[in-house]
Amino acid sequence: MQDGFYRSRPIGAAIGGWLVAAFTGTGQTVAVAASAASPFAGITDSGGGSGGLVDLQLTQEADVRYGGTVKAGDPLMAASDGSGRAVKAVKPGTGATVWVIGIAQIDGVADDIGKVFLAPSIMLG
Protein backbone atom coordinates (compact mmCIF):
# COMPACT_ATOMS: atom_id res chain seq x y z
CA MET A 1 0.00 0.00 0.00
CA GLN A 2 1.14 3.54 -0.82
CA ASP A 3 0.80 6.56 1.46
CA GLY A 4 -2.51 8.31 1.03
CA PHE A 5 -6.13 8.15 2.06
CA TYR A 6 -7.86 4.84 1.35
CA ARG A 7 -11.48 3.81 1.52
CA SER A 8 -12.97 0.33 1.10
CA ARG A 9 -15.89 0.13 -1.30
CA PRO A 10 -18.22 -2.75 -2.23
CA ILE A 11 -17.73 -4.48 -5.58
CA GLY A 12 -20.00 -6.69 -7.67
CA ALA A 13 -17.11 -8.60 -9.27
CA ALA A 14 -13.39 -9.06 -8.62
CA ILE A 15 -11.15 -6.14 -9.63
CA GLY A 16 -7.43 -6.30 -10.35
CA GLY A 17 -4.83 -4.04 -8.80
CA TRP A 18 -3.61 -0.61 -9.96
CA LEU A 19 -6.72 0.14 -12.04
CA VAL A 20 -9.12 3.07 -12.32
CA ALA A 21 -12.36 2.30 -10.49
CA ALA A 22 -15.70 4.01 -11.10
CA PHE A 23 -18.99 4.22 -9.28
CA THR A 24 -21.63 1.93 -10.81
CA GLY A 25 -24.68 4.02 -9.87
CA THR A 26 -25.68 1.56 -7.14
CA GLY A 27 -24.81 3.25 -3.87
CA GLN A 28 -21.05 3.17 -3.22
CA THR A 29 -20.48 0.02 -5.33
CA VAL A 30 -17.55 0.32 -7.73
CA ALA A 31 -16.25 -1.57 -10.77
CA VAL A 32 -13.41 -1.22 -13.24
CA ALA A 33 -13.93 2.06 -15.13
CA ALA A 34 -15.47 1.25 -18.52
CA SER A 35 -14.46 4.58 -20.06
CA ALA A 36 -13.43 8.15 -19.27
CA ALA A 37 -17.15 8.98 -18.90
CA SER A 38 -17.40 6.64 -15.89
CA PRO A 39 -17.64 8.58 -12.57
CA PHE A 40 -14.17 8.26 -10.98
CA ALA A 41 -14.06 6.54 -7.56
CA GLY A 42 -10.33 5.92 -6.98
CA ILE A 43 -7.38 3.67 -7.90
CA THR A 44 -7.48 0.04 -6.78
CA ASP A 45 -4.89 -1.19 -4.31
CA SER A 46 -2.22 -3.59 -5.56
CA GLY A 47 -4.21 -6.47 -4.09
CA GLY A 48 -7.33 -5.64 -6.05
CA GLY A 49 -10.71 -6.68 -4.73
CA SER A 50 -11.85 -9.78 -2.90
CA GLY A 51 -14.51 -10.71 -0.41
CA GLY A 52 -16.92 -8.17 -1.80
CA LEU A 53 -14.69 -5.14 -1.11
CA VAL A 54 -11.83 -3.26 -2.77
CA ASP A 55 -9.47 -0.73 -1.22
CA LEU A 56 -9.29 2.47 -3.26
CA GLN A 57 -6.57 5.11 -2.99
CA LEU A 58 -8.19 8.54 -3.08
CA THR A 59 -5.30 10.98 -2.48
CA GLN A 60 -1.61 11.64 -3.12
CA GLU A 61 0.54 9.68 -5.62
CA ALA A 62 -0.82 6.27 -6.66
CA ASP A 63 0.49 3.40 -8.74
CA VAL A 64 -1.67 2.84 -11.84
CA ARG A 65 -1.46 0.57 -14.88
CA TYR A 66 -0.98 2.55 -18.08
CA GLY A 67 -3.03 1.70 -21.16
CA GLY A 68 -0.78 3.41 -23.75
CA THR A 69 2.13 5.79 -24.09
CA VAL A 70 2.14 8.32 -21.27
CA LYS A 71 4.53 11.20 -20.59
CA ALA A 72 5.14 12.80 -17.19
CA GLY A 73 2.78 15.76 -16.91
CA ASP A 74 0.01 14.25 -19.05
CA PRO A 75 -3.51 14.45 -17.59
CA LEU A 76 -4.86 10.89 -17.29
CA MET A 77 -8.29 9.32 -17.78
CA ALA A 78 -9.64 5.76 -17.89
CA ALA A 79 -9.13 3.97 -21.22
CA SER A 80 -12.25 3.58 -23.37
CA ASP A 81 -11.68 -0.19 -23.74
CA GLY A 82 -13.14 -1.08 -20.33
CA SER A 83 -9.78 -2.27 -18.97
CA GLY A 84 -9.51 0.33 -16.19
CA ARG A 85 -6.01 1.29 -17.38
CA ALA A 86 -4.98 4.97 -17.44
CA VAL A 87 -4.33 6.81 -20.72
CA LYS A 88 -3.60 10.40 -21.70
CA ALA A 89 -6.77 12.46 -21.36
CA VAL A 90 -8.18 14.07 -24.48
CA LYS A 91 -10.89 16.72 -24.74
CA PRO A 92 -14.25 15.09 -25.45
CA GLY A 93 -16.68 16.00 -28.18
CA THR A 94 -19.44 18.55 -27.68
CA GLY A 95 -21.74 17.65 -24.81
CA ALA A 96 -19.53 14.80 -23.52
CA THR A 97 -17.72 14.55 -20.18
CA VAL A 98 -14.29 13.10 -19.35
CA TRP A 99 -13.28 12.32 -15.76
CA VAL A 100 -9.60 13.23 -15.36
CA ILE A 101 -8.03 11.14 -12.59
CA GLY A 102 -4.84 13.17 -12.18
CA ILE A 103 -1.41 13.97 -13.62
CA ALA A 104 1.16 11.35 -14.71
CA GLN A 105 4.38 11.53 -12.71
CA ILE A 106 6.55 9.26 -14.89
CA ASP A 107 6.78 8.24 -18.53
CA GLY A 108 5.54 4.77 -19.50
CA VAL A 109 3.89 2.57 -22.09
CA ALA A 110 0.95 0.13 -22.11
CA ASP A 111 0.91 -2.23 -19.12
CA ASP A 112 3.67 -0.38 -17.21
CA ILE A 113 2.81 0.39 -13.60
CA GLY A 114 3.17 4.16 -13.61
CA LYS A 115 2.53 6.91 -11.10
CA VAL A 116 -0.34 9.39 -11.01
CA PHE A 117 -0.80 12.35 -8.69
CA LEU A 118 -4.51 12.03 -7.92
CA ALA A 119 -6.27 15.28 -8.76
CA PRO A 120 -9.77 14.37 -9.97
CA SER A 121 -11.50 16.85 -12.25
CA ILE A 122 -13.92 16.95 -15.17
CA MET A 123 -13.22 17.99 -18.76
CA LEU A 124 -16.32 19.11 -20.70
CA GLY A 125 -16.65 19.00 -24.47
Side-chain angles (χ1 to χ4, degrees):
M1 235 182 220
Q2 303 267 331
D3 287 337
F5 181 75
Y6 283 79
R7 182 70 78 194
S8 293
R9 298 281 186 230
I11 53 176
I15 297 178
W18 308 297
L19 298 174
V20 180
F23 289 105
T24 64
T26 305
Q28 292 185 332
T29 301
V30 299
V32 171
S35 73
S38 303
F40 177 66
I43 302 294
T44 61
D45 179 8
S46 61
S50 63
L53 293 173
V54 66
D55 291 332
L56 298 178
Q57 186 170 348
L58 305 177
T59 64
Q60 298 183 0
E61 187 176 275
D63 290 337
V64 68
R65 185 173 303 278
Y66 289 158
T69 301
V70 171
K71 296 289 183 193
D74 284 347
L76 298 178
M77 65 183 191
S80 61
D81 62 4
S83 67
R85 296 180 298 173
V87 297
K88 182 178 178 178
V90 294
K91 186 174 179 178
T94 302
T97 300
V98 163
W99 287 80
V100 174
I101 65 170
I103 306 300
Q105 298 300 294
I106 62 173
D107 296 350
V109 296
D111 287 324
D112 282 354
I113 302 299
K115 301 272 186 193
V116 59
F117 177 70
L118 295 174
S121 61
I122 296 174
M123 209 184 287
L124 300 175

